[in-house]
Amino acid sequence: MEERTRNLFKELLSSGSGKVGIAFIIALIIISLGVIIIYPPDFGLKYWSNPVLWADNPRAAPPAWTNLFSSYNQAETVIFETNIPTERIPGVSTTKVLYTFNLNHKADEPPSFISMTVGNIKYNNRPPVLIVNIERPDGNKIELYRLIVPGPLPNEVTPFARFSETPFRIQLSGNHEVVSAVSNFLKQEFDVSISNQDLLLSGVDIAVFGTPQDDGKFDVLMGVYKIQVDAFLYNEDDSIGSVKFVAGGSVHGFMGTDTLGRDLSIGLLFGFPVALFIGLVASSITTVIGTSLGIISGYIGGKTDTAIQRAADIFTNIPLLPILIFLSFIVGPNLLIIILILIIFSWPGLTILIRSMVLQIRSGQLVESSITLGASRLRIMLRHIFPQTAPFVFAQMIFFTPAAILAEAALSFLGLGDPSLPTWGQILEYGFRNGGIYVGYWWWILPPGILIVITAMTFVLIALGMEPIINPRLKRGH
């Protein structure tokens, strides 16, 4: 058996399709193991489906590398986050804590938004005050926003904790206080009068990151912007846990984002282990069941053979996809239920094929001599019949794997996939549901489709490489 297995892999690696298929499957396994190690098991429900975690990402943004193919340089998302202040300036009754970030803006457009997030603030007496300032490359300074931390509640015990569980996030671009501050800045520095409503319509970001022109428009001001968050603490034991400043872009990450701001590269990565899990589990169990029943049916015969074959005929004639859709509506979308249904309706084809092979094998000299020597049925089936069918069985398992992956992708594309896990089919479905194919969100549609095809083709290539093993007449030189 070991020698047969070695010969199988030797023959597989001797073909071009086999080498490519093995290389792809190794890459898929390595990526899947990396994802399993890095991401938690509850990633789907706790992270992927939580819009709060993606609030600082731009919506429906193409990949950042698209800037390489355009003369127009779009802004990329820049995130600054720290829990260590740049400087502490003690005073008589107040300590001034500074958090400074330098944003080198080189894009031909302003950021799509700016936001600030603070978390885990603790104080003892007077609530801290935080002030957000931006110093532009031209030397002008704008006080954008002032945050007064909520005061203590009745009967609350010191130290008072704020924003511990859920950090406080403020979208500076759409805040009325910020709009008023920018409007006053334009009036004082450039003698330009713009109402708050008009500034909201034209965009606060272009006014902060631009210079007004005579035609009423703004030119983007490139250079280094100094973002400074000044925190005023009124007790030596007061503290601020974290400060975060985000300048959103029009492009983001390696694979872009969807309309919720979710990083598609993360969702696509998480789809690797899910696809392999679906394919390998469904194909392995299907192969074990189909092979076992086929060998039993072909070797034992009689009523056992009739019962197994009639059951196989019944399940073979039931269409799989409508059953999957129906049971997903009844039972609910669950990955394990989907795999179970795939197994239940996939074994009959293999059983019928294995039975036809066993009918020929059992009349051979090897089996006849084993019977004469008094070998049991179980020993004959395991030691003499199964090894002769093993190459074909392994090849069929390889073919079952992409079929299971494509079936789950089709179900997810119809909106009936397991919502607790991001899969390539779900990403495709959400993209189509939000009109991605009509408005040109190609980065949302093409990558999951390509990954589904590549994964399916990986197993097809391996199966093609195994054809000379199943049919020796296809070997080179014959």
Side-chain angles (χ1 to χ4, degrees):
M1 187 69 180
E2 292 182 2
E3 184 179 354
R4 187 187 293 267
T5 303
R6 284 196 298 269
N7 291 334
L8 186 149
F9 281 102
K10 183 178 179 181
E11 184 66 36
L12 181 61
L13 292 173
S14 66
S15 66
S17 60
K19 290 177 182 177
V20 174
I22 291 295
F24 279 5
I25 194 66
I26 290 174
L28 291 175
I29 292 173
I30 291 174
I31 294 172
S32 299
L33 289 176
V35 171
I36 292 171
I37 293 171
I38 295 173
Y39 296 107
D42 59 350
F43 172 81
L45 288 175
K46 192 174 181 180
Y47 296 93
W48 185 254
S49 300
N50 186 357
V52 175
L53 298 177
W54 311 102
D56 286 324
N57 288 351
R59 307 293 188 261
W65 49 262
T66 55
N67 271 337
L68 298 174
F69 305 98
S70 174
S71 58
Y72 184 80
N73 188 24
Q74 294 179 285
E76 297 185 29
T77 302
V78 180
I79 299 176
F80 301 102
E81 187 171 10
T82 184
N83 54 7
I84 301 174
T86 307
E87 185 181 0
R88 294 180 69 93
I89 305 175
V92 178
S93 59
T94 304
T95 298
K96 186 177 180 182
V97 181
L98 306 181
Y99 298 88
T100 304
F101 313 108
N102 291 319
L103 171 62
N104 189 8
H105 189 71
K106 299 179 180 179
D108 295 325
E109 62 182 11
S112 57
F113 67 89
I114 52 176
S115 69
M116 182 192 71
T117 305
V118 293
N120 197 22
I121 296 178
K122 295 180 180 179
Y123 66 94
N124 291 270
N125 300 312
R126 186 176 171 184
V129 177
L130 284 79
I131 301 175
V132 182
N133 300 288
I134 290 186
E135 184 177 333
R136 295 157 39 109
D138 58 8
N140 292 319
K141 189 174 182 180
I142 313 173
E143 181 181 313
L144 285 181
Y145 183 73
R146 183 181 294 252
L147 170 65
I148 301 176
V149 177
L153 301 172
N155 302 322
E156 190 175 2
V157 181
T158 58
F160 309 116
R162 296 292 180 267
F163 318 132
S164 299
E165 295 182 2
T166 304
F168 175 79
R169 179 181 181 274
I170 177 70
Q171 183 91 352
L172 298 172
S173 300
N175 183 267
H176 289 284
E177 181 181 334
V178 175
V179 173
S180 297
V182 174
S183 179
N184 293 334
F185 164 76
L186 293 175
K187 179 63 176 176
Q188 293 173 5
E189 298 297 334
F190 299 102
D191 195 25
V192 174
S193 297
I194 302 178
S195 67
N196 291 358
Q197 185 176 359
D198 291 338
L199 195 56
L200 274 174
L201 292 175
S202 61
V204 177
D205 306 297
I206 185 59
V208 175
F209 290 84
T211 304
Q213 302 300 307
D214 294 337
D215 57 1
K217 297 181 179 180
F218 288 82
D219 282 349
V220 175
L221 179 63
M222 298 183 186
V224 177
Y225 289 78
K226 182 179 179 182
I227 294 97
Q228 185 168 300
V229 179
D230 300 335
F232 296 90
L233 309 180
Y234 301 97
N235 188 289
E236 61 180 8
D237 295 325
D238 293 355
S239 64
I240 296 176
S242 63
V243 175
K244 180 180 181 182
F245 184 89
V246 178
S250 300
V251 293
H252 184 85
F254 185 66
M255 296 305 295
T257 63
D258 61 13
T259 52
L260 294 178
R262 296 181 295 194
D263 193 332
L264 290 174
S265 62
I266 296 177
L268 293 172
L269 278 176
F270 201 85
F272 278 94
V274 175
L276 282 185
F277 176 78
I278 294 169
L280 295 179
V281 170
S283 63
S284 299
I285 299 177
T286 299
T287 302
V288 170
I289 295 174
T291 303
S292 302
L293 292 178
I295 293 175
I296 292 171
S297 176
Y299 182 71
I300 295 180
K303 292 183 179 179
T304 301
D305 179 31
T306 302
I308 292 174
Q309 292 307 305
R310 294 297 75 76
D313 291 338
I314 292 172
F315 281 104
T316 301
N317 288 286
I318 298 176
L320 177 59
L321 189 58
I323 289 295
L324 278 171
I325 295 172
F326 174 74
L327 292 179
S328 295
F329 272 117
I330 300 300
V331 182
N334 184 282
L335 187 61
L336 296 179
I337 295 296
I338 293 172
I339 293 175
L340 180 62
I341 297 170
L342 289 172
I343 293 169
I344 291 174
F345 290 94
S346 298
W347 64 266
L350 181 59
T351 296
I352 294 170
L353 291 173
I354 294 296
R355 173 184 177 271
S356 64
M357 296 176 64
V358 173
L359 290 175
Q360 297 178 1
I361 295 171
R362 74 175 184 179
S363 60
Q365 293 181 359
L366 180 62
V367 175
E368 293 291 343
S369 60
S370 298
I371 294 173
T372 304
L373 293 173
S376 65
R377 286 181 171 181
L378 181 60
R379 181 179 177 83
I380 291 172
M381 287 187 288
L382 290 177
R383 298 294 299 272
H384 303 300
I385 294 178
F386 172 70
Q388 297 185 60
T389 63
F392 177 79
V393 168
F394 187 69
Q396 288 300 305
M397 184 180 74
I398 298 298
F399 272 120
F400 280 144
T401 303
I405 294 172
L406 291 173
E408 188 282 331
L411 204 62
S412 295
F413 184 75
L414 295 174
L416 300 173
D418 190 341
S420 65
L421 292 170
T423 65
W424 297 330
Q426 283 186 22
I427 294 174
L428 262 179
E429 185 273 334
Y430 194 70
F432 271 86
R433 180 151 49 94
N434 285 272
I437 195 170
Y438 304 109
V439 294
Y441 297 157
W442 56 266
W443 62 91
W444 197 354
I445 304 298
L446 290 180
I450 291 172
L451 287 175
I452 291 171
V453 172
I454 290 176
T455 305
M457 285 302 299
T458 296
F459 294 95
V460 172
L461 289 171
I462 294 175
L464 289 174
M466 292 184 62
E467 279 191 344
I469 303 169
I470 301 169
N471 187 356
R473 290 176 296 180
L474 297 177
K475 288 186 179 180
R476 295 170 184 81
H478 287 266

